[in-house]
Coordinates of all heavy atoms in Angstrom, one line a residue:
I1 N -30.6 19.0 7.3 CA -30.4 18.4 8.7 C -29.1 17.6 8.6 O -29.1 16.6 7.8 CB -31.6 17.6 9.1 CG1 -32.8 18.5 9.2 CG2 -31.2 16.9 10.5 CD1 -34.1 17.7 9.6
Q2 N -28.1 17.9 9.4 CA -26.9 17.0 9.4 C -27.1 16.1 10.6 O -27.5 16.4 11.7 CB -25.7 17.9 9.7 CG -25.1 18.4 8.4 CD -23.7 19.0 8.7 OE1 -23.5 19.5 9.7 NE2 -22.8 18.8 7.7
R3 N -26.7 14.8 10.4 CA -26.7 13.8 11.4 C -25.3 13.2 11.5 O -24.6 13.2 10.6 CB -27.7 12.7 11.1 CG -29.1 13.2 11.1 CD -30.1 12.1 11.0 NE -31.4 12.6 11.2 CZ -32.5 11.8 11.0 NH1 -32.4 10.6 10.8 NH2 -33.7 12.3 11.2
C4 N -25.1 12.7 12.7 CA -23.8 12.0 12.9 C -23.8 10.7 12.1 O -24.7 10.0 12.0 CB -23.7 11.6 14.4 SG -22.4 10.5 14.8
P5 N -22.7 10.5 11.3 CA -22.6 9.4 10.5 C -22.8 8.0 11.2 O -23.4 7.1 10.7 CB -21.1 9.4 9.9 CG -20.7 10.8 10.0 CD -21.5 11.4 11.2
M6 N -22.4 8.0 12.5 CA -22.6 6.7 13.2 C -24.1 6.5 13.5 O -24.5 5.3 13.6 CB -21.8 6.7 14.5 CG -20.3 6.6 14.2 SD -19.8 5.2 13.2 CE -20.3 3.8 14.2
S7 N -24.9 7.6 13.7 CA -26.3 7.3 14.0 C -27.0 6.8 12.7 O -27.9 6.0 12.8 CB -27.0 8.6 14.5 OG -27.1 9.6 13.5
L8 N -26.5 7.3 11.6 CA -27.1 6.8 10.3 C -26.6 5.4 10.0 O -27.3 4.6 9.5 CB -26.7 7.7 9.2 CG -27.3 9.1 9.2 CD1 -26.8 10.0 8.1 CD2 -28.8 9.0 9.1
H9 N -25.4 5.1 10.5 CA -24.9 3.7 10.4 C -25.8 2.7 11.1 O -26.2 1.7 10.6 CB -23.4 3.6 10.9 CG -22.9 2.3 11.0 ND1 -22.3 1.6 9.9 CD2 -22.8 1.4 12.1 CE1 -21.9 0.4 10.3 NE2 -22.2 0.3 11.6
R10 N -26.1 3.1 12.4 CA -27.0 2.3 13.2 C -28.4 2.1 12.6 O -28.9 1.0 12.5 CB -27.1 2.8 14.6 CG -25.8 2.6 15.4 CD -26.0 3.0 16.9 NE -26.1 4.5 17.0 CZ -25.0 5.3 17.2 NH1 -23.8 4.8 17.2 NH2 -25.2 6.6 17.3
L11 N -28.9 3.2 12.0 CA -30.2 3.1 11.4 C -30.2 2.2 10.1 O -31.0 1.4 9.9 CB -30.7 4.5 11.0 CG -32.0 4.6 10.2 CD1 -33.1 4.1 11.0 CD2 -32.2 6.1 9.7
Q12 N -29.1 2.4 9.3 CA -29.0 1.5 8.1 C -28.8 0.1 8.5 O -29.4 -0.8 7.8 CB -27.8 2.0 7.3 CG -28.0 3.4 6.6 CD -29.1 3.4 5.6 OE1 -29.7 2.4 5.2 NE2 -29.3 4.6 5.0
R13 N -28.1 -0.2 9.6 CA -28.0 -1.6 10.1 C -29.3 -2.2 10.4 O -29.7 -3.3 10.1 CB -27.0 -1.7 11.3 CG -25.6 -1.8 11.0 CD -24.8 -2.0 12.2 NE -25.3 -2.9 13.2 CZ -25.1 -4.2 13.1 NH1 -24.3 -4.7 12.1 NH2 -25.6 -5.1 14.0
K14 N -30.1 -1.4 11.1 CA -31.5 -1.8 11.6 C -32.3 -2.1 10.3 O -33.1 -3.1 10.3 CB -32.2 -0.8 12.4 CG -31.6 -0.7 13.8 CD -32.4 0.4 14.6 CE -31.8 0.6 16.0 NZ -32.4 1.6 16.7
I15 N -32.3 -1.3 9.3 CA -33.1 -1.5 8.1 C -32.6 -2.7 7.4 O -33.5 -3.6 7.0 CB -32.9 -0.2 7.2 CG1 -33.6 1.0 7.8 CG2 -33.5 -0.5 5.8 CD1 -33.3 2.3 7.1
L16 N -31.3 -2.9 7.2 CA -30.8 -4.1 6.5 C -31.1 -5.4 7.3 O -31.6 -6.4 6.8 CB -29.3 -4.0 6.3 CG -28.7 -5.2 5.5 CD1 -29.4 -5.5 4.2 CD2 -27.2 -4.9 5.3
R17 N -30.9 -5.3 8.6 CA -31.2 -6.5 9.5 C -32.7 -6.9 9.4 O -33.0 -8.1 9.3 CB -30.9 -6.2 11.0 CG -29.4 -6.1 11.3 CD -28.6 -7.4 11.0 NE -29.2 -8.5 11.8 CZ -28.6 -9.2 12.6 NH1 -27.3 -9.0 12.9 NH2 -29.2 -10.2 13.2
R18 N -33.6 -5.9 9.4 CA -35.0 -6.2 9.3 C -35.3 -6.8 7.9 O -36.1 -7.8 7.9 CB -35.8 -4.9 9.5 CG -37.3 -5.2 9.5 CD -37.7 -6.1 10.7 NE -39.2 -6.2 10.6 CZ -39.8 -7.3 11.0 NH1 -39.1 -8.4 11.4 NH2 -41.1 -7.4 10.9
G19 N -34.7 -6.3 6.9 CA -34.9 -6.9 5.6 C -34.5 -8.3 5.5 O -35.2 -9.2 4.9
L20 N -33.4 -8.6 6.1 CA -32.9 -10.0 6.2 C -33.8 -10.9 7.0 O -34.0 -12.1 6.6 CB -31.5 -10.1 6.8 CG -30.4 -9.5 5.8 CD1 -29.1 -9.4 6.6 CD2 -30.2 -10.3 4.6
E21 N -34.4 -10.4 8.1 CA -35.3 -11.2 8.9 C -36.6 -11.5 8.0 O -37.1 -12.6 8.2 CB -35.8 -10.4 10.1 CG -34.7 -10.2 11.2 CD -35.1 -9.2 12.2 OE1 -36.3 -8.7 12.3 OE2 -34.2 -8.9 13.1
L22 N -37.0 -10.6 7.2 CA -38.2 -10.8 6.4 C -37.9 -11.6 5.1 O -38.9 -12.1 4.4 CB -38.8 -9.5 6.0 CG -39.3 -8.7 7.2 CD1 -39.8 -7.3 6.7 CD2 -40.5 -9.4 7.9
L23 N -36.7 -11.8 4.7 CA -36.3 -12.5 3.5 C -36.6 -13.9 3.5 O -36.3 -14.6 4.5 CB -34.8 -12.3 3.2 CG -34.2 -12.7 1.9 CD1 -34.8 -11.8 0.8 CD2 -32.7 -12.6 1.9
K24 N -37.3 -14.4 2.5 CA -37.6 -15.9 2.5 C -36.3 -16.6 2.1 O -35.5 -16.1 1.4 CB -38.7 -16.1 1.4 CG -40.0 -15.6 1.8 CD -41.0 -15.8 0.7 CE -42.4 -15.2 1.1 NZ -43.4 -15.5 0.0
P25 N -36.2 -17.9 2.5 CA -35.1 -18.7 2.1 C -34.9 -18.7 0.5 O -35.9 -18.9 -0.2 CB -35.4 -20.1 2.6 CG -36.3 -19.9 3.7 CD -37.1 -18.6 3.4
G26 N -33.7 -18.5 0.1 CA -33.4 -18.4 -1.3 C -33.7 -17.1 -2.0 O -33.5 -16.9 -3.2
G27 N -34.3 -16.1 -1.2 CA -34.6 -14.8 -1.7 C -33.4 -13.9 -1.9 O -32.3 -14.3 -1.5
I28 N -33.6 -12.8 -2.5 CA -32.5 -11.9 -2.8 C -32.8 -10.5 -2.2 O -34.0 -10.1 -2.3 CB -32.3 -11.7 -4.4 CG1 -31.9 -13.0 -5.0 CG2 -31.4 -10.6 -4.7 CD1 -31.9 -12.9 -6.5
I29 N -31.8 -9.9 -1.5 CA -32.0 -8.6 -1.0 C -31.0 -7.7 -1.7 O -29.9 -8.1 -2.0 CB -31.8 -8.6 0.5 CG1 -32.3 -7.3 1.1 CG2 -30.4 -8.9 0.9 CD1 -32.5 -7.3 2.6
V30 N -31.5 -6.5 -2.1 CA -30.7 -5.5 -2.7 C -30.5 -4.4 -1.7 O -31.5 -3.8 -1.2 CB -31.3 -5.0 -4.0 CG1 -30.4 -3.9 -4.6 CG2 -31.4 -6.1 -5.0
Y31 N -29.3 -4.0 -1.3 CA -29.0 -3.0 -0.4 C -28.5 -1.8 -1.1 O -27.5 -1.9 -1.9 CB -28.0 -3.4 0.7 CG -27.7 -2.3 1.7 CD1 -28.6 -2.0 2.7 CD2 -26.5 -1.6 1.6 CE1 -28.3 -1.0 3.6 CE2 -26.2 -0.6 2.5 CZ -27.1 -0.3 3.4 OH -26.8 0.7 4.3
S32 N -29.2 -0.6 -1.0 CA -28.8 0.6 -1.7 C -29.1 1.8 -0.8 O -30.1 1.8 -0.1 CB -29.5 0.7 -3.0 OG -29.2 1.9 -3.7
T33 N -28.2 2.8 -0.8 CA -28.4 4.0 -0.1 C -28.2 5.2 -1.1 O -27.7 5.0 -2.2 CB -27.5 4.2 1.1 OG1 -26.2 4.5 0.6 CG2 -27.5 3.1 2.0
C34 N -28.6 6.4 -0.7 CA -28.4 7.6 -1.5 C -27.2 8.3 -1.0 O -26.9 9.5 -1.3 CB -29.6 8.5 -1.5 SG -30.1 9.0 0.1
S35 N -26.4 7.6 -0.2 CA -25.2 8.2 0.4 C -23.9 7.7 -0.2 O -23.8 6.6 -0.6 CB -25.2 7.9 1.9 OG -24.0 8.4 2.5
L36 N -22.9 8.5 -0.2 CA -21.5 8.1 -0.7 C -20.7 7.8 0.6 O -19.5 7.4 0.4 CB -20.9 9.2 -1.5 CG -21.6 9.5 -2.8 CD1 -20.9 10.6 -3.5 CD2 -21.6 8.3 -3.7
N37 N -21.2 7.9 1.7 CA -20.5 7.7 3.0 C -20.3 6.2 3.2 O -21.3 5.5 3.3 CB -21.3 8.3 4.1 CG -20.5 8.3 5.4 OD1 -19.6 7.5 5.6 ND2 -20.9 9.2 6.4
P38 N -19.1 5.7 3.3 CA -18.9 4.3 3.5 C -19.4 3.8 4.8 O -19.7 2.6 5.0 CB -17.4 4.1 3.4 CG -16.8 5.5 3.6 CD -17.8 6.4 3.1
L39 N -19.6 4.7 5.8 CA -20.2 4.2 7.1 C -21.7 3.8 6.9 O -22.2 3.1 7.7 CB -20.1 5.3 8.1 CG -18.7 5.7 8.6 CD1 -18.7 6.8 9.6 CD2 -18.0 4.5 9.2
E40 N -22.3 4.3 5.8 CA -23.7 3.9 5.5 C -23.8 2.8 4.5 O -24.9 2.3 4.2 CB -24.5 5.1 5.1 CG -24.7 6.2 6.1 CD -25.4 7.4 5.6 OE1 -26.6 7.2 5.1 OE2 -24.9 8.5 5.6
N41 N -22.7 2.5 3.9 CA -22.7 1.5 2.8 C -21.8 0.3 3.2 O -22.3 -0.6 3.8 CB -22.2 2.2 1.5 CG -23.2 3.3 1.1 OD1 -24.3 3.0 1.0 ND2 -22.6 4.5 0.8
E42 N -20.5 0.3 2.8 CA -19.7 -0.8 3.0 C -19.6 -1.2 4.5 O -19.6 -2.4 4.8 CB -18.3 -0.5 2.5 CG -18.1 -0.4 1.0 CD -18.3 1.0 0.5 OE1 -18.9 1.9 1.2 OE2 -17.9 1.3 -0.7
A43 N -19.5 -0.2 5.4 CA -19.4 -0.6 6.8 C -20.7 -1.3 7.3 O -20.6 -2.1 8.2 CB -19.1 0.7 7.6
V44 N -21.8 -0.9 6.8 CA -23.1 -1.5 7.2 C -23.1 -3.0 6.7 O -23.4 -3.9 7.5 CB -24.3 -0.7 6.6 CG1 -25.6 -1.5 6.8 CG2 -24.4 0.6 7.3
L45 N -22.8 -3.2 5.5 CA -22.7 -4.5 4.9 C -21.8 -5.4 5.7 O -22.1 -6.5 6.1 CB -22.4 -4.5 3.4 CG -23.5 -4.0 2.5 CD1 -22.9 -3.8 1.1 CD2 -24.7 -4.9 2.5
A46 N -20.5 -4.9 5.9 CA -19.5 -5.6 6.6 C -20.0 -6.0 8.0 O -19.8 -7.2 8.4 CB -18.2 -4.8 6.7
S47 N -20.6 -5.1 8.7 CA -20.9 -5.4 10.1 C -22.1 -6.3 10.2 O -22.2 -7.2 11.1 CB -21.2 -4.1 10.9 OG -22.3 -3.4 10.4
V48 N -23.1 -6.2 9.3 CA -24.2 -7.1 9.3 C -23.8 -8.5 8.9 O -24.2 -9.5 9.5 CB -25.4 -6.6 8.4 CG1 -26.5 -7.6 8.2 CG2 -26.0 -5.3 9.0
I49 N -23.0 -8.6 7.9 CA -22.4 -9.9 7.5 C -21.7 -10.6 8.6 O -21.8 -11.8 8.9 CB -21.6 -9.8 6.2 CG1 -22.5 -9.6 5.0 CG2 -20.8 -11.1 5.9 CD1 -21.8 -9.2 3.7
D50 N -20.9 -9.8 9.3 CA -20.1 -10.3 10.5 C -21.1 -10.9 11.6 O -20.7 -11.8 12.3 CB -19.2 -9.3 11.1 CG -18.0 -9.0 10.3 OD1 -17.7 -9.8 9.4 OD2 -17.3 -8.0 10.6
D51 N -22.3 -10.3 11.7 CA -23.2 -10.7 12.7 C -23.9 -12.1 12.3 O -24.5 -12.7 13.2 CB -24.4 -9.7 12.9 CG -23.9 -8.4 13.6 OD1 -22.8 -8.4 14.1 OD2 -24.6 -7.4 13.5
I52 N -23.9 -12.4 11.1 CA -24.6 -13.6 10.6 C -23.7 -14.8 10.9 O -22.5 -14.8 10.8 CB -24.8 -13.6 9.1 CG1 -25.8 -12.4 8.7 CG2 -25.3 -14.9 8.5 CD1 -25.9 -12.2 7.2
D53 N -24.4 -15.9 11.4 CA -23.6 -17.2 11.7 C -23.0 -17.6 10.4 O -23.6 -17.8 9.4 CB -24.6 -18.2 12.2 CG -25.1 -18.0 13.6 OD1 -24.4 -17.2 14.4 OD2 -26.2 -18.5 14.0
G54 N -21.7 -17.9 10.5 CA -20.9 -18.3 9.3 C -20.3 -17.1 8.6 O -19.5 -17.4 7.6
G55 N -20.7 -15.9 8.9 CA -20.1 -14.7 8.3 C -20.2 -14.7 6.8 O -21.2 -15.1 6.3
V56 N -19.2 -14.2 6.2 CA -19.2 -14.1 4.7 C -19.4 -15.4 4.0 O -20.0 -15.4 2.9 CB -18.0 -13.3 4.2 CG1 -16.7 -14.2 4.2 CG2 -18.2 -12.7 2.8
D57 N -19.0 -16.5 4.6 CA -19.2 -17.8 3.9 C -20.7 -18.2 3.9 O -21.1 -19.1 3.1 CB -18.4 -18.9 4.7 CG -16.9 -18.7 4.5 OD1 -16.5 -18.1 3.5 OD2 -16.2 -19.1 5.4
A58 N -21.5 -17.6 4.7 CA -23.0 -17.9 4.8 C -23.8 -17.0 3.8 O -25.0 -17.2 3.7 CB -23.5 -17.8 6.2
V59 N -23.1 -16.1 3.1 CA -23.8 -15.1 2.3 C -23.3 -15.3 0.9 O -22.1 -15.4 0.6 CB -23.5 -13.7 2.7 CG1 -24.2 -12.7 1.8 CG2 -24.0 -13.5 4.2
E60 N -24.3 -15.4 -0.1 CA -23.9 -15.4 -1.5 C -24.0 -14.0 -2.1 O -25.0 -13.4 -2.0 CB -24.9 -16.3 -2.3 CG -24.5 -16.5 -3.7 CD -25.5 -17.3 -4.5 OE1 -26.5 -17.8 -4.0 OE2 -25.2 -17.5 -5.7
I61 N -22.9 -13.5 -2.5 CA -22.8 -12.2 -3.1 C -22.9 -12.4 -4.7 O -22.2 -13.1 -5.3 CB -21.4 -11.5 -2.9 CG1 -21.1 -11.6 -1.4 CG2 -21.4 -10.1 -3.5 CD1 -21.6 -10.4 -0.5
I62 N -24.0 -11.8 -5.2 CA -24.3 -12.0 -6.6 C -23.8 -10.7 -7.4 O -24.2 -9.6 -7.0 CB -25.8 -12.2 -6.9 CG1 -26.3 -13.4 -6.1 CG2 -26.1 -12.3 -8.3 CD1 -27.8 -13.6 -6.1
P63 N -23.0 -10.9 -8.4 CA -22.5 -9.7 -9.1 C -23.6 -9.0 -9.9 O -24.6 -9.6 -10.2 CB -21.5 -10.3 -10.2 CG -21.3 -11.7 -9.8 CD -22.4 -12.1 -8.9
L64 N -23.4 -7.7 -10.1 CA -24.4 -7.0 -10.9 C -24.5 -7.5 -12.3 O -23.4 -7.9 -12.9 CB -24.0 -5.5 -10.9 CG -24.2 -4.7 -9.7 CD1 -23.6 -3.3 -9.8 CD2 -25.6 -4.6 -9.3
P65 N -25.6 -7.5 -12.9 CA -25.7 -8.0 -14.3 C -24.9 -7.0 -15.2 O -24.8 -5.8 -14.9 CB -27.2 -7.9 -14.6 CG -27.9 -7.8 -13.3 CD -26.9 -7.2 -12.3
D66 N -24.4 -7.5 -16.3 CA -23.6 -6.7 -17.3 C -24.4 -5.5 -17.7 O -23.8 -4.4 -17.9 CB -23.2 -7.6 -18.5 CG -22.1 -8.6 -18.1 OD1 -21.4 -8.4 -17.1 OD2 -22.0 -9.6 -18.8
F67 N -25.7 -5.6 -18.0 CA -26.4 -4.4 -18.5 C -26.4 -3.3 -17.5 O -26.4 -2.1 -17.9 CB -27.8 -4.8 -18.9 CG -28.8 -5.0 -17.8 CD1 -29.5 -4.0 -17.3 CD2 -29.0 -6.3 -17.3 CE1 -30.4 -4.2 -16.3 CE2 -29.9 -6.5 -16.3 CZ -30.6 -5.4 -15.8
V68 N -26.4 -3.6 -16.2 CA -26.3 -2.5 -15.2 C -24.9 -1.9 -15.2 O -24.8 -0.7 -15.2 CB -26.6 -3.1 -13.8 CG1 -26.4 -2.0 -12.7 CG2 -28.1 -3.6 -13.7
I69 N -23.9 -2.7 -15.3 CA -22.5 -2.2 -15.3 C -22.3 -1.3 -16.5 O -21.7 -0.3 -16.5 CB -21.5 -3.4 -15.2 CG1 -21.7 -4.0 -13.9 CG2 -20.1 -2.9 -15.5 CD1 -20.9 -5.3 -13.7
E70 N -22.8 -1.7 -17.7 CA -22.7 -1.0 -18.9 C -23.4 0.3 -18.9 O -22.9 1.3 -19.5 CB -23.1 -1.9 -20.1 CG -22.2 -3.1 -20.3 CD -22.9 -4.1 -21.3 OE1 -23.9 -3.8 -21.9 OE2 -22.3 -5.2 -21.5
K71 N -24.6 0.4 -18.3 CA -25.4 1.6 -18.3 C -25.1 2.6 -17.2 O -25.4 3.8 -17.3 CB -26.9 1.2 -18.2 CG -27.3 0.4 -19.4 CD -28.2 1.3 -20.3 CE -28.7 0.4 -21.4 NZ -29.0 1.1 -22.6
C72 N -24.4 2.1 -16.1 CA -24.2 2.9 -14.9 C -22.7 3.1 -14.7 O -21.9 2.3 -15.1 CB -24.8 2.3 -13.7 SG -26.6 2.0 -13.9
N73 N -22.4 4.1 -14.0 CA -21.0 4.3 -13.5 C -20.8 3.4 -12.2 O -21.2 3.8 -11.2 CB -20.7 5.7 -13.2 CG -20.6 6.6 -14.4 OD1 -20.2 6.1 -15.5 ND2 -21.0 7.8 -14.3
V74 N -20.3 2.2 -12.4 CA -20.2 1.3 -11.3 C -18.7 1.2 -10.9 O -17.8 1.1 -11.7 CB -20.6 -0.1 -11.7 CG1 -20.4 -1.1 -10.6 CG2 -22.1 -0.1 -12.1
F75 N -18.5 1.3 -9.6 CA -17.1 1.3 -9.0 C -17.1 0.2 -7.9 O -18.1 0.0 -7.3 CB -16.8 2.7 -8.4 CG -16.8 3.8 -9.4 CD1 -17.9 4.6 -9.5 CD2 -15.7 4.0 -10.2 CE1 -18.0 5.6 -10.4 CE2 -15.8 5.1 -11.1 CZ -16.9 5.9 -11.2
D76 N -15.9 -0.3 -7.8 CA -15.7 -1.3 -6.7 C -16.0 -0.6 -5.3 O -15.6 0.6 -5.2 CB -14.3 -1.9 -6.7 CG -14.1 -2.8 -7.9 OD1 -15.1 -3.3 -8.4 OD2 -13.0 -3.1 -8.2
G77 N -16.5 -1.3 -4.4 CA -16.7 -0.7 -3.0 C -15.3 -0.6 -2.3 O -14.3 -1.1 -2.7
L78 N -15.3 0.1 -1.2 CA -14.2 0.3 -0.4 C -13.9 -0.9 0.5 O -14.9 -1.6 0.9 CB -14.3 1.5 0.5 CG -14.5 2.9 -0.2 CD1 -14.8 4.0 0.8 CD2 -13.4 3.2 -1.1
D79 N -12.7 -1.2 0.8 CA -12.4 -2.3 1.8 C -11.8 -1.7 3.1 O -11.5 -2.5 4.0 CB -11.5 -3.3 1.2 CG -10.2 -2.8 0.7 OD1 -9.8 -1.6 1.0 OD2 -9.5 -3.5 0.0
S80 N -11.7 -0.4 3.2 CA -11.4 0.2 4.5 C -11.9 1.6 4.5 O -12.2 2.2 3.4 CB -9.8 0.2 4.7 OG -9.2 1.0 3.7
W81 N -12.2 2.2 5.7 CA -12.8 3.5 5.8 C -12.4 4.1 7.2 O -12.1 3.3 8.1 CB -14.3 3.5 5.6 CG -14.9 2.3 6.3 CD1 -15.3 2.3 7.6 CD2 -15.2 1.0 5.8 NE1 -15.8 1.1 7.9 CE2 -15.7 0.3 6.8 CE3 -15.0 0.4 4.6 CZ2 -16.1 -1.1 6.7 CZ3 -15.4 -0.9 4.4 CH2 -15.9 -1.6 5.5
M82 N -12.5 5.4 7.3 CA -12.3 6.1 8.6 C -13.6 6.1 9.4 O -14.6 6.3 8.9 CB -11.8 7.5 8.3 CG -10.5 7.6 7.5 SD -9.1 7.0 8.4 CE -9.0 8.3 9.7
V83 N -13.4 5.8 10.7 CA -14.6 5.9 11.6 C -14.3 7.1 12.5 O -13.3 7.2 13.2 CB -14.7 4.6 12.4 CG1 -15.9 4.8 13.4 CG2 -14.9 3.4 11.5
P84 N -15.2 8.1 12.5 CA -15.0 9.3 13.3 C -15.1 9.0 14.8 O -15.7 8.0 15.2 CB -16.2 10.2 12.9 CG -17.2 9.3 12.4 CD -16.5 8.1 11.8
N85 N -14.4 9.8 15.6 CA -14.4 9.7 17.0 C -15.8 10.1 17.5 O -16.4 11.1 17.0 CB -13.4 10.6 17.6 CG -13.2 10.5 19.1 OD1 -14.2 10.1 19.8 ND2 -12.0 10.7 19.6
S86 N -16.4 9.4 18.4 CA -17.8 9.6 18.8 C -17.9 10.9 19.7 O -19.0 11.3 20.0 CB -18.4 8.4 19.6 OG -17.6 8.2 20.7
K87 N -16.8 11.5 20.1 CA -16.9 12.7 20.9 C -17.1 13.9 20.1 O -16.7 14.1 19.0 CB -15.6 12.8 21.7 CG -15.5 11.7 22.7 CD -14.3 11.9 23.6 CE -14.2 10.7 24.6 NZ -13.0 10.8 25.4

């Protein structure tokens, strides 16, 4: 089943927002998808962080532990991506 990347973006935003609503103060949330599409990954994180009062300054980004980086193929995320026309 193929879906429009923007509909999956909206769904992923809802999932992450709900997780943040349920997160206890001082808690940690791990966001992961099975997609390589930046609209479901980096774009979701960027838009949800933008929605939070204080933006990126209100969020603590914790680096992956060294053992994860050593065992996995870890790459830096994208800082820009193409957004398809909704038509």
Side-chain angles (χ1 to χ4, degrees):
I1 299 174
Q2 273 192 326
R3 293 192 175 174
C4 169
M6 289 308 294
S7 69
L8 293 173
H9 172 85
R10 286 188 288 274
L11 175 62
Q12 294 291 357
R13 273 184 48 84
K14 286 181 184 178
I15 292 168
L16 182 55
R17 292 295 305 236
R18 184 63 179 145
L20 290 171
E21 289 170 6
L22 297 172
L23 189 65
K24 293 179 180 180
I28 296 174
I29 192 162
V30 176
Y31 177 77
S32 175
T33 71
C34 60
S35 173
L36 297 176
N37 186 338
L39 294 177
E40 294 178 60
N41 295 311
E42 291 92 342
V44 169
L45 290 172
S47 66
V48 169
I49 289 171
D50 283 347
D51 290 348
I52 295 171
D53 288 338
V56 73
D57 293 331
V59 178
E60 181 182 4
I61 310 269
I62 301 171
L64 290 171
D66 287 339
F67 75 89
V68 173
I69 294 172
E70 292 167 6
K71 297 252 183 211
C72 302
N73 291 328
V74 177
F75 300 96
D76 290 338
L78 301 176
D79 57 14
S80 64
W81 44 84
M82 299 290 294
V83 178
N85 188 330
S86 61
K87 293 182 182 182

